[in-house]
Amino acid sequence: MPPDRPGGGEPSDSDRPPPPGSLAPGRSDDHAGHALRAPSRLHAFNRYEIKYLMPSTAVPELRRELARRLDVDSHGVGGGYGVWSVYYDTRDLRFYWEKIEGLRFRRKLRVRHYGDRSTVDDDSTVFVEIKQRVNRVTQKRRVALPYHLARELCDRRVMVPHEPGQQAFLEEVLDLLCRLDLRPVAMTGYQREAFIGRGAEAGLRVTVDHRVRGRDRDFHLGADAENRLIVPARLAVVELKANERVPYWLTDLAADLSMSVVRISKYCQSVEAFGRVPRSVFHVSDDDPAGAPAPAAARSEA
């Protein structure tokens, strides 16, 4: 089912907030806004998504308007939380090109941590994820593992101890790693603010990502390594995510704030920023003026 408004997004996944206790303690009244809050053996879900770019100077106004209608994610109080991801790909960047070319079926594999990367150790909880698209439906499946087991699985390519119900997914991860000879290619990180719907809009989620950075080496999530901005600091990436429909008031708000709908992949941004491939028409260049409209070819989600 498409969003309410023309030019809107398509089914997609939503980023899960950090596990309870990993960040600042918060309220318990936002459980309905994120049904995946509690740990489970295997998460699998999809959502509709629209992505925007907006000047960081306009974020305070957006934040005020969102706070009138939505709750602040309790895991992001006091400035939000970090999201750090290591992406795996082939030597010839198969997953990158599948995204750029907009293939109707595509997948990518990543390991993700929520919170302060300086605290990451072998026992930190991370998520091994397969994000895939089939026609217009984008899904995300993942399991939570201690970081040392995630590295055993993804870097050493060996089966790791797991809970009942995770076997098939972990076998699929291993098959991708071995059959396609996947290896770490890029890392991304950013500071995220999140807002969640309530009542009739319980499935709604809005995220605002600041200072989107990346690197092409030192792929340990906790490494004290230098990161480079892959989206200009003066721009924020805003994502609207809903189980069924993005409400009119939210798309109207985006129009009122002159937010530009874009097709953007943080993974692709990182690959291009470090010269692995020529920059695509979808790349957000450092010399783009803040808030400039995206290229015409980039005005639809994929």
Side-chain angles (χ1 to χ4, degrees):
M1 184 179 298
D4 282 339
R5 299 189 65 81
E10 60 192 39
S12 181
D13 64 281
S14 151
D15 288 311
R16 180 186 187 276
S22 65
L23 293 173
R27 308 183 315 272
S28 60
D29 60 352
D30 61 354
H31 176 79
H34 210 297
L36 300 172
R37 174 83 66 212
S40 66
R41 295 188 179 97
L42 175 65
H43 298 302
F45 53 98
N46 62 272
R47 281 185 168 180
Y48 293 91
E49 176 183 287
I50 313 175
K51 290 183 180 178
Y52 297 88
L53 280 178
M54 70 180 306
S56 295
T57 53
V59 169
E61 182 177 358
L62 173 65
R63 187 185 296 122
R64 286 193 297 270
E65 293 299 320
L66 292 176
R68 294 176 55 241
R69 304 285 293 263
L70 306 175
D71 292 330
V72 176
D73 189 312
S74 62
H75 291 82
V77 295
Y81 53 87
V83 181
W84 298 90
S85 304
V86 175
Y87 288 85
Y88 289 72
D89 209 334
T90 65
R91 291 183 183 274
D92 58 359
L93 302 178
R94 169 176 173 166
F95 295 161
Y96 167 88
W97 288 111
E98 288 178 350
K99 169 65 177 178
I100 291 297
E101 294 170 5
L103 297 192
R104 296 173 68 85
F105 175 77
R106 58 180 183 263
R107 286 182 290 188
K108 58 186 173 187
L109 175 68
R110 67 191 178 200
V111 176
R112 172 164 286 188
H113 171 70
Y114 295 90
D116 184 351
R117 68 186 176 101
S118 68
T119 65
V120 174
D121 58 26
D122 281 351
D123 296 322
S124 297
T125 298
V126 301
F127 297 89
V128 177
E129 304 181 345
I130 292 177
K131 184 177 180 180
Q132 68 183 33
R133 168 169 165 156
V134 182
N135 295 321
R136 293 183 58 83
V137 177
T138 302
Q139 301 172 324
K140 183 162 62 179
R141 294 171 293 137
R142 62 174 160 204
V143 295
L145 292 172
Y147 189 29
H148 71 278
L149 291 184
R151 296 201 310 275
E152 286 284 306
L153 175 70
C154 295
D155 296 335
R156 295 190 59 193
R157 304 178 187 179
V158 297
M159 181 58 72
V160 297
H162 54 274
E163 298 179 13
Q166 294 180 342
Q167 178 79 24
F169 176 76
L170 295 179
E171 288 178 349
E172 182 180 353
V173 170
L174 275 176
D175 175 68
L176 280 175
L177 288 161
C178 297
R179 179 166 48 86
L180 300 180
D181 190 23
L182 302 181
R183 73 282 316 283
V185 166
M187 184 168 174
T188 64
Y190 40 90
Q191 192 71 6
R192 165 160 288 180
E193 296 181 73
F195 300 83
I196 56 177
R198 54 179 179 259
E201 295 178 345
L204 180 64
R205 183 170 172 82
V206 180
T207 58
V208 184
D209 297 334
H210 307 271
R211 293 188 56 78
V212 183
R213 293 151 283 168
R215 65 178 185 259
D216 64 346
R217 64 200 70 191
D218 300 321
F219 293 121
H220 189 286
L221 283 167
D224 183 16
E226 182 180 359
N227 294 285
R228 177 188 302 175
L229 287 169
I230 58 176
V231 173
R234 63 180 179 272
L235 297 176
V237 179
V238 180
E239 300 181 32
L240 316 183
K241 308 170 186 182
N243 291 338
E244 295 183 355
R245 293 182 181 273
V246 175
Y248 282 117
W249 70 264
L250 193 49
T251 50
D252 286 344
L253 174 61
D256 291 343
L257 295 178
S258 300
M259 294 164 57
S260 300
V261 177
V262 292
R263 177 189 178 196
I264 184 174
S265 161
K266 298 181 183 77
Y267 167 59
C268 293
Q269 288 288 124
S270 190
V271 168
E272 295 174 11
F274 290 95
R276 297 290 301 272
V277 295
R279 293 191 173 188
S280 73
V281 296
F282 303 118
H283 189 91
V284 180
S285 172
D286 281 340
D287 56 11
D288 283 341
R299 290 185 172 273
S300 63
E301 282 292 305

